[in-house]
Amino acid sequence: VARTVAVAELIEQARAGKPRAVARLISLVEDARPELREVAAALAPLTGRATVIGLTGSPGVGKSTTTSGLVSAFRAQGKRVGVLAVDPSSPFSGGALLGDRVRMQDHATDSGVFIRSMATRGHLGGLSWATPQALRVLDAAGFDVVLIETVGVGQSEIDVVSLADSTLVLLAPGMGDGIQAAKAGILEVADVFCVNKADRDGADQVVRDLKHMISLGRRGSGPAWRVPVVPTVASRGEGLIDVVDALGEHRAWMSEHGELERRRAHRAVTEIEAIAVTAVRARLGDLHGTDSLAQLGKRVATGELDPYTAADTLIHNLT
Amino acid sequence: VARTVAVAELIEQARAGKPRAVARLISLVEDARPELREVAAALAPLTGRATVIGLTGSPGVGKSTTTSGLVSAFRAQGKRVGVLAVDPSSPFSGGALLGDRVRMQDHATDSGVFIRSMATRGHLGGLSWATPQALRVLDAAGFDVVLIETVGVGQSEIDVVSLADSTLVLLAPGMGDGIQAAKAGILEVADVFCVNKADRDGADQVVRDLKHMISLGRRGSGPAWRVPVVPTVASRGEGLIDVVDALGEHRAWMSEHGELERRRAHRAVTEIEAIAVTAVRARLGDLHGTDSLAQLGKRVATGELDPYTAADTLIHNLT
């Protein structure tokens, strides 16, 4: 009973804007502690209100500066803003955490802003596990906007995008060959393009190239969202209010066309599936005796058994 | 009955050295056709004889040339050699297949050599699914040596290494800052180092750096394998016989210390687990009705249900 009260109290404190309570809740869910299920159940009815925005783009386009500028723009509208800075790292290096403290010092003393670096430390599936949990905490704690920023490397950025209601893709002139330099997959997931460093040579060309690409049309049927291209100079705060407006228009469009609901249901499906597969995987590894994974592995290695029959045996024992 | 005969006949033809039968068997297992289980069961008792060698290294170190040279060296010993060239590609681009035909034309007319490009086309888990299956076919078809070559990009190279009995890591001088340029994880998995382009400036330094790194010792207890460093000029065929010898010594050492058995059991465990998880995931997606993944996703999205309870429901319905 004492623990239940503690979780309820933590959630209450988090909703009252206490950053330590928010941080504590995130720790409880991302490390899969015993309290995880209790916390998850308590958070659920409080979720679904935050606007979730994914930010991605190649290194050097100015993601951190843009994130910081967007935080200021949302704060000017009186909104509470959470930031999850996702920093995927090699499974071997152990993770170079950018650090909550060195990032975005402008907002360090603002109690309406909560910033958390998510390292993909790899336990329990890494990013695909911890980030949605942290997102639920911020949502339940009453943050109006949650920005998920990725370092823009590899598959994980796509995973992050799948968590967002709207995805903002950043480009900048002078990064290789303009939009050619961006990875194909990333251009396809953009709901809003931001061409940062728009005061530099070549920015107009990047904007033109993007608009041309967009005019070639998207796949799929149904009413199409026309992806806007917004020039910004994030280091001087220029254009950020236009980005906020474009994101607002995208959200309104999504609500109108049932797309917001569809995306959120899809996000939930991915999350449920990941939790279920993780649980099943753990149970497979927990089986003991002659039909344990280790014993089956030895029999497959010697050719006594084929791996499909071994997998059938495992699944049969699971049920 | 007719189909059973056909599979048995295909396996017989593959063992007799018919490349078309080998290719057909690989297609049957990698595409998860209905015959998959039958083929897997028929192959199992014939597997476990091939020596599996993983080759990896950064782009530009000469992996294709070295692979081709090693094929010649093994052929000179009268051994049948299979090559699986693994070409990981973006989940979006669809995969740039290097092509069996343009690779290693020296061996095109040699019936003792079978070459297959494995693109990670992503279905059923991509690489982690298709490559072990193809490996089993080549093993059962009586190839004495199977070389698995990767393009050396990302996580997939680590996955490939986990399939091999012995892993050969290639480096070359003039690739950035010597061994610093190689990714940390790759240096750690090497059983044999090959310093290719050893006639170039800086090769001695790479050899010295590697030997120094090795002298600092490996982690873990038990008798340690001292990783040899072999200089080669693959384009002129120099040093490749030394590489073959070093790999032979590593294999003898592994057999002596129970390491070969341990690695193969571990490989089988990984494979069984991947098959089981894929099967479970498919079953989760196949559930229908009010407790289907789609319906649960909608309830989680609205906050009616938390994702852990939803995952429990899914798993419960599975069993």
Side-chain angles (χ1 to χ4, degrees):
Chain A
V1 176
R3 223 180 55 200
T4 305
V5 173
V7 166
E9 207 172 284
L10 270 180
I11 292 176
E12 200 177 310
Q13 288 174 3
R15 288 172 68 84
K18 306 263 195 246
R20 290 187 64 169
V22 176
R24 177 88 186 105
L25 284 169
I26 292 180
S27 298
L28 285 177
V29 292
E30 77 177 353
D31 289 346
R33 301 199 186 186
E35 297 91 339
L36 169 64
R37 280 162 179 276
E38 186 190 337
V39 174
L43 294 176
L46 306 171
T47 58
R49 281 167 218 156
T51 294
V52 185
I53 298 165
L55 266 98
T56 192
S58 302
V61 295
K63 282 193 299 297
S64 290
T65 317
T66 303
T67 302
S68 182
L70 287 175
V71 169
S72 301
F74 283 117
R75 288 299 289 144
Q77 299 182 344
K79 289 179 175 161
R80 292 178 65 207
V81 186
V83 177
L84 298 173
V86 176
D87 183 11
S89 53
S90 147
F92 289 97
S93 73
L97 201 59
L98 285 177
D100 308 340
R101 278 142 289 172
V102 299
R103 292 171 59 87
M104 312 217 303
Q105 302 188 347
D106 294 355
H107 309 288
T109 58
D110 181 350
S111 67
V113 178
F114 183 90
I115 300 166
R116 176 94 170 202
S117 289
M118 308 292 298
T120 58
R121 270 163 292 204
H123 70 298
L124 296 171
L127 193 62
S128 58
W129 178 279
T131 307
Q133 309 307 322
L135 175 54
R136 292 183 155 269
V137 169
L138 295 178
D139 186 357
F143 287 94
D144 304 293
V145 177
V146 179
L147 299 171
I148 306 181
E149 178 199 330
T150 77
V151 302
V153 180
Q155 175 59 28
S156 49
E157 66 193 326
I158 308 291
D159 296 340
V160 167
V161 161
S162 74
L163 295 174
D165 298 332
S166 300
T167 297
L168 180 64
V169 174
L170 273 64
L171 290 96
M175 307 288 298
D177 192 14
I179 69 165
Q180 303 300 329
K183 274 171 289 177
I186 280 305
L187 295 178
E188 288 166 25
V189 297
D191 297 309
V192 175
F193 279 115
C194 172
V195 177
N196 195 28
K197 307 185 183 180
D199 53 342
R200 297 204 183 162
D201 284 349
D204 291 349
Q205 187 61 47
V206 176
V207 172
R208 270 197 303 275
D209 288 350
L210 284 172
K211 286 188 172 165
H212 176 66
M213 188 195 76
I214 292 160
S215 74
L216 297 177
R218 305 198 117 197
R219 295 174 212 145
S221 57
W225 163 251
R226 175 60 77 115
V227 180
V229 180
V230 185
T232 57
V233 185
S235 59
R236 296 201 300 257
E238 291 174 19
L240 293 168
I241 210 73
D242 301 327
V243 174
V244 169
D245 287 347
L247 289 166
E249 281 163 30
H250 181 241
R251 193 186 163 80
W253 181 89
M254 284 196 298
S255 295
E256 197 183 323
H257 293 88
E259 176 70 6
L260 186 62
E261 206 176 288
R262 199 192 62 73
R263 287 194 183 188
R264 288 180 165 200
H266 177 73
R267 185 203 303 170
V269 160
T270 307
E271 194 180 355
I272 298 166
E273 207 181 25
I275 292 168
V277 167
T278 302
V280 167
R281 196 185 286 271
R283 284 212 229 166
L284 293 179
D286 283 347
L287 296 173
H288 292 289
T290 52
D291 287 341
S292 72
L293 195 44
Q295 290 300 321
L296 291 169
K298 281 181 189 168
R299 291 169 65 198
V300 168
T302 59
E304 185 191 330
L305 201 67
D306 74 85
Y308 294 90
T309 305
D312 287 345
T313 306
L314 263 190
I315 294 174
H316 181 76
N317 288 347
L318 194 69
T319 65
Chain B
V1 177
R3 222 179 56 197
T4 306
V5 173
V7 167
E9 205 172 286
L10 270 180
I11 293 176
E12 199 178 310
Q13 288 173 3
R15 289 173 68 82
K18 306 263 195 246
R20 291 188 63 169
V22 175
R24 177 90 186 105
L25 283 170
I26 291 179
S27 299
L28 286 178
V29 291
E30 76 177 356
D31 289 346
R33 302 198 185 187
E35 297 91 339
L36 170 64
R37 280 161 178 275
E38 185 190 338
V39 174
L43 294 176
L46 305 172
T47 56
R49 281 168 217 155
T51 293
V52 185
I53 297 165
L55 266 98
T56 190
S58 302
V61 295
K63 282 193 298 299
S64 289
T65 318
T66 303
T67 302
S68 183
L70 287 175
V71 170
S72 300
F74 283 117
R75 290 299 290 144
Q77 298 181 345
K79 290 180 173 159
R80 290 178 66 204
V81 186
V83 178
L84 297 173
V86 176
D87 184 9
S89 54
S90 147
F92 290 97
S93 74
L97 202 60
L98 287 176
D100 308 337
R101 276 143 288 172
V102 298
R103 292 172 57 87
M104 312 217 303
Q105 302 189 347
D106 294 355
H107 309 289
T109 57
D110 181 351
S111 68
V113 178
F114 182 89
I115 299 165
R116 176 94 168 199
S117 289
M118 308 292 297
T120 58
R121 270 162 292 202
H123 70 298
L124 297 171
L127 191 63
S128 59
W129 178 280
T131 308
Q133 310 306 322
L135 175 56
R136 291 184 156 270
V137 169
L138 294 179
D139 186 358
F143 287 94
D144 303 293
V145 177
V146 179
L147 299 172
I148 306 181
E149 179 199 328
T150 78
V151 300
V153 179
Q155 176 57 29
S156 50
E157 65 192 325
I158 308 291
D159 296 341
V160 166
V161 161
S162 74
L163 295 175
D165 298 331
S166 302
T167 297
L168 180 64
V169 174
L170 271 66
L171 290 96
M175 306 287 298
D177 192 14
I179 69 166
Q180 304 300 329
K183 274 172 291 177
I186 279 306
L187 295 177
E188 289 166 23
V189 298
D191 298 308
V192 175
F193 279 115
C194 172
V195 177
N196 195 29
K197 308 185 183 182
D199 53 342
R200 296 204 184 163
D201 284 348
D204 291 349
Q205 187 61 46
V206 176
V207 171
R208 270 198 303 274
D209 288 350
L210 284 172
K211 286 188 172 166
H212 176 66
M213 187 196 76
I214 293 161
S215 75
L216 297 177
R218 305 198 118 195
R219 294 174 213 147
S221 56
W225 163 251
R226 176 60 77 113
V227 180
V229 180
V230 185
T232 57
V233 185
S235 58
R236 295 201 301 258
E238 291 173 20
L240 293 168
I241 210 73
D242 302 327
V243 175
V244 168
D245 287 348
L247 289 166
E249 281 163 30
H250 181 242
R251 192 186 164 80
W253 180 89
M254 284 196 297
S255 294
E256 198 183 320
H257 293 88
E259 176 69 7
L260 186 62
E261 207 175 287
R262 200 192 63 73
R263 287 192 182 189
R264 289 180 165 200
H266 177 73
R267 185 202 302 171
V269 160
T270 307
E271 193 179 357
I272 297 166
E273 207 181 25
I275 293 167
V277 167
T278 302
V280 167
R281 196 185 285 272
R283 284 213 230 166
L284 293 180
D286 283 347
L287 296 173
H288 292 289
T290 53
D291 287 342
S292 72
L293 196 45
Q295 289 302 320
L296 290 169
K298 280 181 190 168
R299 291 168 66 196
V300 168
T302 58
E304 185 190 330
L305 202 66
D306 74 84
Y308 294 90
T309 305
D312 287 345
T313 307
L314 263 189
I315 294 174
H316 181 77
N317 288 347
L318 194 70
T319 64

